[in-house]
Amino acid sequence: MHEDVDGPAGATTGEQPVGSAVRDGHDGPGTGSGPEPAAGVPHRPAASPLAFEQGTGGHHARVLEALGTAIAAGDHRPGSVLRTDELEERFQVSRTVIREAIRVLESMRLVVSRRRVGVTVCPTQEWNVYDPRVIRWRLAGRDRPRQLRSLTVLRSAVEPVAARLAAHHATPAQCAELTEHAMGMVATSRGQQLDAYLVHDMAFHRVVLAASGNEMFAPLGDVVAAVLTGRTHHHVMFTDPDPAAVTLHVQVAEAVRTGDADRAESLTREITHGAMAELDVLAP
């Protein structure tokens, strides 16, 4: 931890429109903070991008969140140059803090640093759009409806196939996990328990993708989790999840457990098609 890191920055959410709804959407838990190093303790090496985001927060997280959100929203156009001295002045932080934030943004390919040029914002086509943080920042911007549709199309293409494969390859332990989380979704689907529902919903979809046995599908669990979290955060959902969608998850778990690949695929396709249909109404 660097000596100029302090407590965590706050988070804000918008107002919830009346009657808005999308299946499976939920909000996730926040991050904590840790103590500053004692005087005389040597500095540790700079953190990795993952540790950077999950660490103590403070100035580093605040700068990263502000720059990432602004770039994703188009406030800094592709090709525009960010000057470190101006960023230091704007955020009232040291050059070390700015460099750490820029390094994380570079790992996402949102920016590139060149000598005698500075920090340049990359074209959207070069961004790592599968990074959950980039997804979260894009969902916070003006282009949210298109981003939600793009992500839901991705889910529609991948998850039904993953469910079919899971019916062939899921282990007994994975079948038990699916059933557990489907039942957890049922138990938390009423009474505005969206945070608790989210835990089971995200876990359910992660298990389906992992149980497919396809190593390219499993990492997409983070993408799906970011979508589910973002939809609740931005209030594109019902106060309680759609009962029909909850039932479909239970039926998918049963189809996977019994090895019914056709049914597992068909039911999962119903889930993703239903989510897209609701977006047409709630995020046109």
Side-chain angles (χ1 to χ4, degrees), residues 93-148:
V93 295
S94 70
R95 180 160 299 186
T96 298
V97 171
I98 297 299
R99 285 175 174 170
E100 287 285 349
I102 294 301
R103 187 168 67 177
V104 177
L105 294 172
E106 281 188 292
S107 74
M108 304 175 189
R109 301 198 295 275
L110 266 65
V111 301
V112 60
S113 297
R114 296 188 178 95
R115 301 186 74 178
R116 295 188 293 275
V117 175
V119 179
T120 305
V121 177
C122 296
T124 308
Q125 298 90 329
E126 297 180 12
W127 297 357
N128 179 9
V129 293
Y130 292 100
D131 189 303
R133 294 163 294 189
V134 176
I135 292 173
R136 175 163 55 82
W137 293 334
R138 295 181 73 190
L139 287 176
R142 295 179 291 270
D143 202 26
R144 182 185 308 142
R146 189 177 71 84
Q147 170 75 344
L148 282 171

Side-chain angles (χ1 to χ4, degrees), residues 34-54:
E36 294 190 354
V41 176
H43 296 304
R44 290 179 289 186
S48 67
L50 181 61
F52 177 94
E53 186 191 30
Q54 294 178 341

Side-chain angles (χ1 to χ4, degrees), residues 184-225:
M185 292 170 70
V186 172
T188 56
S189 63
R190 285 291 174 265
Q192 302 181 25
Q193 304 179 68
L194 294 179
D195 287 341
Y197 184 89
L198 170 63
V199 173
H200 294 293
D201 195 11
M202 290 192 300
F204 181 94
H205 291 282
R206 287 185 191 277
V207 174
V208 170
L209 291 164
S212 71
N214 187 311
E215 74 280 4
M216 302 300 291
F217 285 173
L220 294 177
D222 289 340
V223 174
V224 174

